[in-house]
Amino acid sequence: MAAMVSQRCAVFARSVSRMNVLCASRAASTGANDGGNYHHPTGGHLTMGGAAKQMSAADIKKIPDDEVKKSVFISQSNDVFTNLALEDWIYKNFDLTHHHILMLWINRPSVVVGRHQNPFSETNVAALARNGIELARRNSGGGAVYHDPGNLNCTFFMPRARYDRKYNLNLVTRALYREYGISAELTDRDDIVLLGKKVSGTAAKLGQPNAYHHCTLLVNSNKLHLGASLAKDNVEITSKATASIPSPIKNLVDVNRSVNIQQLLSAVGYEFLRTPATQLTDGGRELLMKQRGFQLINPTDKWFPGISELRENFASWDWRFGKTPAFSVQKTIEMKSAANTSEQHPEMKVKVDVEKALIKEISLVLPNHEPIPVVSDMVGQPYDEDCFNGIVDALKGANTESMRHAMGL
């Protein structure tokens, strides 16, 4: 059995190599004429022309599948901010009316939160920084996810009129079954699950004229690091931000030890290229040879003018933290007594109100009392868990009687 698997993998690898060369040469010879609405910037990629921008949704839906070409872009960067910038660049600039794209990318360890999330509700930001794990905010909605070299990210780009996330997810499950015999299922929330455990989460960005849908695939991710990176501080957070829904997870290698991320990358890309644009049918080698094929993408300004500026925005403090919806944090404290007594002190909480990730107000909260403001030079400073715990420790160290007198109690 092991010999058969090895032989099959070798045959597949050779077929992918041949496919890359054939599809690349075919794309080079025919790319300039596809759809009639493209021009070539530096690097030879296809950007939006005026005619494509003016097409109605109804006209886009009428485009036959055999007039839609497909490309698989494999990012050569493992930097989360660069890959988010590449995703955004393609979404904003490519003409997708006759050209659908699958971007495949792998990041170094990082936690990525949704556009409308509070990172302090999803992880311990200060602990991530100490452990050298990047915190990023993407442009789509959805929940927080952990990325590392054992996780494959897939982004499907298409016109908004052709958006169909179930098509994309079924394409992934077909690749898993074709290559590894893994029978995965879709949930009502459009997660991919194996034996009831999640192997892929999903989110999307819907605009005009373009849209994208991205998902993760847990191949051989470090589950201990994943769990630790998504662990939160033990505090009460009140926020209107979108909250993640925790789910039990599973790596693909847990059910088939032969799965590896590079072979899976090829399998998903291969499935994308051999599948018509709107129908989940197998076009086989005949359809494959009509596509633009696999392309190794170098996300630099030479290829994608302005991408460095996009990366700087995704990596900026203002985007990652300043976009956090207003929230408040509370924690119960027990202040020290002036003497050893059995006197019961009222429950007291430290409350910190935060706006745009900056501390707006610090107060003490007692039962049946209005919050009592605390004067501190921390007001106006960036918030994180270490900062909050420092405030709590300082107030814990205050003498109970002195504090009650200062508060007029």
Side-chain angles (χ1 to χ4, degrees), residues 360-399:
K360 180 183 179 183
E361 186 174 12
I362 302 170
S363 55
L364 290 171
V365 181
L366 288 91
N368 304 317
H369 284 80
E370 290 293 319
I372 302 162
V374 174
V375 177
S376 171
D377 59 5
M378 296 302 299
V379 173
Q381 298 299 310
Y383 172 87
D384 71 13
E385 295 84 357
D386 289 351
C387 176
F388 179 77
N389 290 327
I391 294 169
V392 170
D393 290 342
L395 291 172
K396 273 184 180 179
N399 178 277

Side-chain angles (χ1 to χ4, degrees), residues 12-34:
F12 180 83
R14 288 195 297 271
S15 69
V16 168
S17 297
R18 290 195 298 269
M19 175 182 65
N20 290 350
V21 174
L22 290 169
C23 290
S25 62
R26 186 178 296 273
S29 64
T30 63
N33 298 318
D34 292 333

Side-chain angles (χ1 to χ4, degrees), residues 47-90:
T47 55
M48 276 188 276
K53 291 181 180 179
Q54 295 171 14
M55 287 189 70
S56 68
D59 287 339
I60 291 174
K61 289 180 179 179
K62 292 177 182 176
I63 297 173
D65 278 2
D66 61 6
E67 292 184 14
V68 178
K69 298 296 184 287
K70 286 185 170 186
S71 294
V72 177
F73 287 0
I74 304 173
S75 174
Q76 297 302 285
S77 175
N78 299 124
D79 173 65
V80 61
F81 305 117
T82 299
N83 283 323
L84 289 173
L86 175 59
E87 195 176 55
D88 198 47
W89 199 102
I90 295 171

Side-chain angles (χ1 to χ4, degrees), residues 109 111 128 133 146-148 221-231:
V111 170
L128 290 186
I133 297 174
Y146 173 77
H147 291 178
D148 70 6
S221 191
N222 189 315
K223 287 190 278 190
L224 289 177
H225 290 173
L226 185 155
S229 296
L230 295 177

Side-chain angles (χ1 to χ4, degrees), residues 117-122 232-243 324-331 349-355 365 383 388:
Q117 287 199 293
N118 179 348
F120 304 101
S121 297
E122 304 299 329
K232 310 168 188 65
D233 204 19
N234 184 25
V235 295
E236 303 171 39
I237 295 183
T238 303
S239 174
K240 293 183 179 179
T242 303
T324 301
F327 66 100
S328 63
V329 189
Q330 291 189 129
K331 189 168 187 176
K349 291 185 177 182
V350 180
K351 181 184 179 186
V352 174
D353 294 311
V354 184
E355 280 191 8
V365 181
Y383 172 87
F388 179 77

Side-chain angles (χ1 to χ4, degrees), residues 173-192:
T173 60
R174 284 160 63 96
L176 289 174
Y177 186 77
R178 186 189 302 274
E179 187 63 21
Y180 300 107
I182 295 175
S183 297
E185 299 176 341
L186 302 186
T187 69
D188 294 338
R189 297 184 60 249
D190 290 331
D191 294 329
I192 299 177

Side-chain angles (χ1 to χ4, degrees), residues 304-315:
F304 305 94
I307 195 172
S308 293
E309 185 177 348
L310 287 175
R311 188 211 175 273
E312 288 177 10
N313 179 66
F314 276 108

Side-chain angles (χ1 to χ4, degrees), residues 292-309:
R292 298 185 183 279
F294 287 74
Q295 300 177 47
L296 301 180
I297 298 300
N298 186 14
T300 63
D301 283 317
K302 183 176 180 180
W303 285 41
F304 305 94
I307 195 172
S308 293
E309 185 177 348

